[in-house]
Amino acid sequence: MAEADFAWRYGPTALILGGSEGVGAAFAHQLAAQGLDLLLVARKPEPLEETAAAVRAATGRRVRTLSADLTAPDAVDRIASFAGADEVGLVVYNAGAESRFLDFLDRPAEESLRMAALNVTTPIGIVHRFAGPMAARGRGGFILVSSVAGVAGCPRNAVYSATKAFSNGFAEALWYELKPRGIDMLGLVLGLTLTPAMQRMGLKMDGAADPALVAAEGIAHIADGPTFYAAGTGEGALYLRSLDRGEAVRAMASSASELG
Ligand SMILES: NC(=O)c1ccc[n+]([C@@H]2O[C@H](COP(=O)([O-])OP(=O)(O)OC[C@H]3O[C@@H](n4cnc5c(N)ncnc54)[C@H](OP(=O)(O)O)[C@@H]3O)[C@@H](O)[C@H]2O)c1
């Protein structure tokens, strides 16, 4: 799509939740290069400011930042008031990774509930809040970043994989509902990707995808929903789906233990 068409369809401003590092930072650079102004949200102020400054320097676009925790009960209200009168034509919900592998019973319940807020409750509130004005304008888009961990239950990562299954189903159903209102919805399914969050987890990152590649695939395929399997993860997902469910869960458990 030509830059002017892209900016008209998904601009003037993109909101990136989890826009400071890794895939989110790659989205920030690439969307600004396509002519969009940016609203970036993440918790740690330093990487957020670094990414914002780098994008401003590279593209000259307007970039505003908000340091906020997406698991907080008032997250959607805070983000809505941060966006203010800016016309948000594209929302990328990127934040959402797990920070450790651990059995469900060995993890404090609060940690699992925070994961549910990050990947279920807050995305529902965000999509509801920003899709309304997009529908009134008859244009806009969403990219919900998900994971192959949502294709089958992943032991030691139970709530994470369940929230990613939610994300996949949510994106698919809304793709159908929002299309007639002029809004594109894409569930962008990632496999192992070389991000600072995964590096902090100390996982074996052999063969991990480049964040810039998966962000570019998301942008290129935003209108090709409901789902795009980034960096060639489609075959693995298809294989998992072909298995008996118990076999699929055992395969997930074995992949997770190979990672670390
Ligand atoms: N990396 C992989 O191998 C992989 C594989 C499959 C799927 N994915 C998906 O890809 C997306 C990005 O993953 P990632 O590896 O880059 O890790 P991530 O921990 O989701 O971090 C991505 C961004 O989100 C922000 N963030 C995380 N938690 C947040 C919170 N509670 N509130 C506000 N901002 C928050 C981070 O900054 P702060 O930490 O400063 O807040 C960062 O800017 C996730 O949805 C993940 O599930 C990743």
Side-chain angles (χ1 to χ4, degrees):
M1 197 184 291
E3 192 182 307
D5 294 341
F6 187 90
W8 180 83
R9 174 113 193 80
Y10 304 111
T13 301
L15 168 65
I16 307 178
L17 290 325
S20 64
E21 291 184 339
V23 178
F27 269 115
H29 279 280
Q30 294 177 28
L31 290 172
Q34 293 261 29
L36 302 192
D37 292 334
L38 302 179
L39 302 172
L40 305 181
V41 178
R43 291 166 302 182
K44 296 188 293 296
E46 296 81 11
L48 197 50
E49 284 312 323
E50 267 172 37
T51 297
V55 171
R56 284 184 205 110
T59 65
R61 302 308 311 184
R62 177 170 175 259
V63 184
R64 295 199 291 121
T65 62
L66 174 72
S67 169
D69 187 344
L70 291 163
T71 69
D74 64 349
V76 175
D77 288 343
R78 276 196 72 193
I79 290 159
S81 75
F82 163 61
D86 284 8
E87 203 173 283
V88 173
L90 178 64
V91 176
V92 180
Y93 200 104
N94 171 63
E98 183 50 275
S99 58
R100 56 180 180 166
F101 285 115
L102 203 61
D103 278 10
F104 177 70
L105 279 186
D106 296 334
R107 210 185 272 274
E110 293 69 29
E111 191 176 313
S112 294
L113 291 167
R114 275 199 302 278
M115 175 55 66
L118 181 62
N119 283 348
V120 178
T121 317
T122 302
I124 291 171
I126 288 288
V127 173
H128 200 271
R129 168 66 183 74
F130 288 97
M134 286 181 204
R137 294 192 293 272
R139 60 180 187 274
F142 288 87
I143 297 175
L144 305 186
V145 179
S146 187
S147 169
V148 282
V151 176
C154 184
R156 294 168 62 228
N157 224 354
V159 175
Y160 173 74
S161 71
T163 64
K164 293 299 182 180
F166 164 83
S167 180
N168 296 345
F170 188 49
E172 286 179 5
L174 290 187
W175 166 79
Y176 186 91
E177 287 188 20
L178 295 178
K179 200 72 166 171
R181 298 173 188 256
I183 302 168
D184 293 321
M185 166 64 75
L186 181 72
L188 181 66
V189 178
L190 306 191
L192 189 65
T193 306
L194 189 58
T195 62
M198 290 304 104
Q199 289 172 305
R200 283 192 292 269
M201 261 177 99
L203 301 184
K204 295 190 192 89
M205 300 301 292
D206 308 342
D210 176 358
L213 167 70
V214 302
E217 288 183 319
I219 293 168
H221 292 280
I222 183 170
D224 305 329
T227 306
F228 184 82
Y229 291 91
T233 53
E235 276 187 18
L238 204 59
Y239 170 69
L240 277 172
R241 279 213 213 83
S242 73
L243 298 176
D244 160 89
R245 295 303 289 176
E247 283 304 314
V249 173
R250 279 188 276 277
M252 291 295 264
S254 135
S255 309
S257 70
E258 275 166 26
L259 282 176

